[in-house]
Amino acid sequence: MQRFLIKDTAKHVGEKVRVCGWVNTYRAHGKILFIDLRDISGVIQVVFVPSNKEAYELAQTLRTEWVVEIIGTIVKRPENMINAKIETGSVELSVESLKVLSQSETLPLSIEGDGYEINEEVRMKYRYLDLRRERLKNNMLMRHKVIKFFRDFLDAEGFAEIETPMLTKSTPEGSRDFIVPSRLQAGKFYALPQSPQQYKQLIMASGLEKYFQVARCFRDEDSRGDRQFEHTQLDMEMSFVEREDILELVERMFIKLVETLYPNKKIQEIPFPRIPYAEAMEKYNSDKPDLRKDKNDPNLLAFCWIIDFPFFEKTEEGGWTFVHNPFSAQRPEFVQDVLDKKNLGDIVANQYDIVLNGMELASGGIRSHDPKILEKVFEIMGYKKEEIWEKFGHMLTAFTYGTPPHGGIAPGIDRILSILQNEPNIREVIAFPKTGDGRDFMMNAPSEVSKKQLEELHIKIDSAKTKLDHKKPAKTSKK
Ligand code: ASP
C-alpha cells in the first residue's frame, strides 16, 4: 500500500491510508489512546480504541520517538475538536493496524520548542536529534530552497555549475590553509581550498564564460565570532564584464530571492546604496554598516554595496599586503601606479563587498587578467620572482594565452541563511556545524589516527610539543 505524507491526509477523508513517522506525543483520555504522529510533512492525531484489541495493546507500549507504521481511515474530527493551527487539524486517523518499525530510548535532549536554551555541546553531539526540532528542520529545508533558487537563477542567466578540486594548492585568501599530507608524494601536502578563486579564473581562461559553484571553502582561523572552519559560498565568475554587470546581476538575484522565498521581508532601499569604502569608514567607522532604519524589525533587510576598497595595506613588518584579494585589479586610473609601484596606499582596487544588516555577505572583484600587472602586485607584496612563479606561475602562464577580462563574487550561503531565517548565528543553518574551536562532538573530530596511517603518510608526531601546543593561546589570522 502506498505511503501517504501526513500533510496530504486531510484531503482523503473516508479513505484508508498508510502513514509512517515518529510518535511525537502520547496521551490517554479515559480508555482512548491518542498519539500525534510526525513525519517530514506534518503531524496527525491518531486514535486507538479498545475494540481494536491488537493495535490497542501494542499502542500501550509506545513511547515518544518510536518509529511506527499505521494503516487506518481518515475521519473528520468532531467540530469542537478541530485544531485550526495545524494542516491536519480537521481530521484524525482511526487505526486499523499498527507496526513498530524502530524503538527509541528517552532522548538526551528535548526536541520541543526552539532549543536555544539547551547546552550547544549536547545539541551538537546529538545533532541528528536536534535536527528533528521543527525550527532546525525548517532551516535545513529553507537552505535547500535558497540554494536551489540560486542554481535555477544562475542557470537561467547562462551560468554553468563546475566543480573544482578539494585537494589543491594553497591560494591566498588571508587565512591559514588546512593541509592534507600526500601518501604517494612523500613529504608533500595538498591544501584544501580557501576558495576556488584561482580555478574559477582559470575557468575564464578556458572560455567557459559564466561559472558558478556551491563551493565549500576551508579556512583555518582561530575561533573568532561567528565563524566555522568550513563554509559554503555561491562562488561566481564571469567573462567580458565590468563591475557594473556583476553588481547589477547580484542585486537582481538577491531581490528576486527575497520576493520568491521571503515575501514577508522588505528590502529597505532599491537600488542598493553604494558607499565608497572611505566614506563608509568616515561615516560609520565600519565597512559593514548596518543601515536598517529599525533594528528591531526582524523583517527589514538593508543591503548595501561597499565599493572602492584600498588595494594594499601595510603589514606589521612594514611591507605591503592585499586588503581583500591579490587577484583583483586596480580601478583603471591606477594602472600606472601599480606598474611603477608608487602611491601604494592610495591605489583603489576594483573590489566590492555586499553587506546586509551589518554583515558582510560577499566580496568580489574585477580581476587582473594582464600577467604583467598581476606579477607586479605580487612583487609589491614582497614575493621574490621565483616564489611568484612557483606559487602562481600557472595563473601568469594562463593569462598569456588569451584570457578575457573577468570578475566575480562569492556570497556566503551560511550568512545569508542565518539572516533570512532570523537566526543568531550560522551554526543554526548548518546541518552539522562545529564548535568555535573546530570540534565535532558527534563524530569526535579531530581525532588521533593509527600509527600505520601516520607511517604511510611519513608523519611523526612530536607528542611533547603537541601537548604544549594545545595549551598555547590562539594567534589571530587576517580575516
Ligand atoms: N575569492 C573571494 C572569497 O572567497 C571571493 C571573490 O573575490 O570572488 O572571498
Side-chain angles (χ1 to χ4, degrees), residues 166-171 177-180 190-195 218:
M166 286 281 131
L167 294 176
T168 175
K169 192 167 150 152
S170 174
T171 196
D177 290 317
F178 277 98
I179 57 171
V180 180
Y190 300 97
L192 299 181
Q194 287 188 38
S195 87
F218 302 86

Side-chain angles (χ1 to χ4, degrees), residues 17-277:
V17 299
R18 181 170 76 95
V19 291
C20 299
W22 286 257
V23 176
N24 203 44
T25 57
Y26 177 99
R27 61 193 180 275
H29 260 292
K31 286 240 172 289
I32 301 181
L33 295 180
F34 290 96
I35 65 169
D36 279 344
L37 186 73
R38 178 187 85 235
D39 72 4
I40 181 80
S41 70
V43 174
I44 187 167
Q45 175 163 288
V46 180
V47 191
F48 296 89
V49 289
S51 55
N52 181 348
K53 195 159 177 280
E54 200 183 329
Y56 184 76
E57 279 176 6
L58 184 55
Q60 284 174 315
T61 69
L62 292 178
R63 294 290 171 268
T64 52
E65 296 310 302
W66 284 26
V67 180
V68 296
E69 176 194 86
I70 296 172
I71 294 175
T73 306
I74 301 292
V75 293
K76 263 207 160 352
R77 287 196 203 183
E79 209 58 44
N80 59 346
M81 304 284 269
I82 288 180
N83 176 357
K85 281 196 224 123
I86 60 171
E87 225 173 320
T88 59
S90 63
V91 295
E92 58 191 18
L93 180 61
S94 167
V95 178
E96 186 180 309
S97 69
L98 162 70
K99 192 162 148 195
V100 173
L101 302 177
S102 174
Q103 300 189 353
S104 170
E105 300 287 339
T106 304
L107 301 192
L109 75 174
S110 163
I111 59 166
E112 273 169 44
D114 284 341
Y116 293 114
E117 73 294 348
I118 301 171
N119 178 314
E120 207 177 357
E121 287 184 14
V122 176
R123 289 182 53 207
M124 284 187 187
K125 178 158 185 209
Y126 299 100
R127 188 60 161 183
Y128 48 90
L129 298 179
D130 202 30
L131 287 169
R132 290 185 190 174
R133 187 183 308 289
E134 191 60 31
R135 175 176 67 87
L136 287 204
K137 180 185 88 178
N138 187 37
N139 285 352
M140 289 307 114
L141 297 179
M142 285 312 293
R143 184 180 176 112
H144 159 73
K145 285 196 176 154
V146 166
I147 292 177
K148 182 172 184 305
F149 170 88
F150 286 141
R151 285 204 158 103
D152 292 344
F153 180 92
L154 292 174
D155 175 67
E157 294 282 331
F159 282 73
E161 183 166 16
I162 299 171
E163 289 158 281
T164 54
M166 286 281 131
L167 294 176
T168 175
K169 192 167 150 152
S170 174
T171 196
E173 291 281 355
S175 268
R176 247 179 250 110
D177 290 317
F178 277 98
I179 57 171
V180 180
S182 161
R183 181 176 60 85
L184 295 176
Q185 316 295 323
K188 296 196 173 161
F189 296 84
Y190 300 97
L192 299 181
Q194 287 188 38
S195 87
Q197 183 67 35
Q198 297 189 52
Y199 285 108
K200 69 173 169 177
Q201 291 192 243
L202 294 169
I203 288 171
M204 297 304 104
S206 80
L208 283 156
E209 295 181 19
K210 289 177 167 185
Y211 144 96
F212 84 97
Q213 181 178 194
V214 177
R216 197 61 70 78
C217 304
F218 302 86
R219 299 181 187 180
D220 187 359
E221 299 185 327
D222 297 315
S223 31
R224 190 147 70 85
D226 191 16
R227 298 262 181 165
Q228 289 277 301
F229 281 173
E230 49 187 302
H231 71 269
T232 309
Q233 63 188 32
L234 182 68
D235 201 49
M236 299 158 63
E237 198 75 11
M238 284 161 267
S239 288
F240 305 108
V241 287
E242 293 179 359
R243 178 175 79 185
E244 192 52 43
D245 301 299
I246 296 174
L247 301 198
E248 184 278 327
L249 177 100
V250 172
E251 193 159 323
R252 195 153 46 77
M253 179 173 76
F254 277 121
I255 294 170
K256 193 163 173 208
L257 170 73
V258 173
E259 284 170 0
T260 312
L261 293 179
Y262 293 90
N264 293 335
K265 303 220 175 246
K266 26 180 201 310
I267 298 178
Q268 182 167 285
E269 195 177 339
I270 296 176
F272 302 168
R274 292 185 187 182
I275 312 172
Y277 171 84

Side-chain angles (χ1 to χ4, degrees), residues 243 247 274-278 305-309 349 351-353:
R243 178 175 79 185
L247 301 198
R274 292 185 187 182
I275 312 172
Y277 171 84
W305 290 101
I306 306 294
I307 54 172
D308 295 343
F309 279 86
Q351 175 86 40
Y352 34 79
D353 275 6

Side-chain angles (χ1 to χ4, degrees), residues 271-290:
F272 302 168
R274 292 185 187 182
I275 312 172
Y277 171 84
E279 186 187 321
M281 294 310 285
E282 200 182 294
K283 246 171 134 169
Y284 308 103
N285 197 24
S286 166
D287 57 0
K288 312 178 220 333
D290 186 348

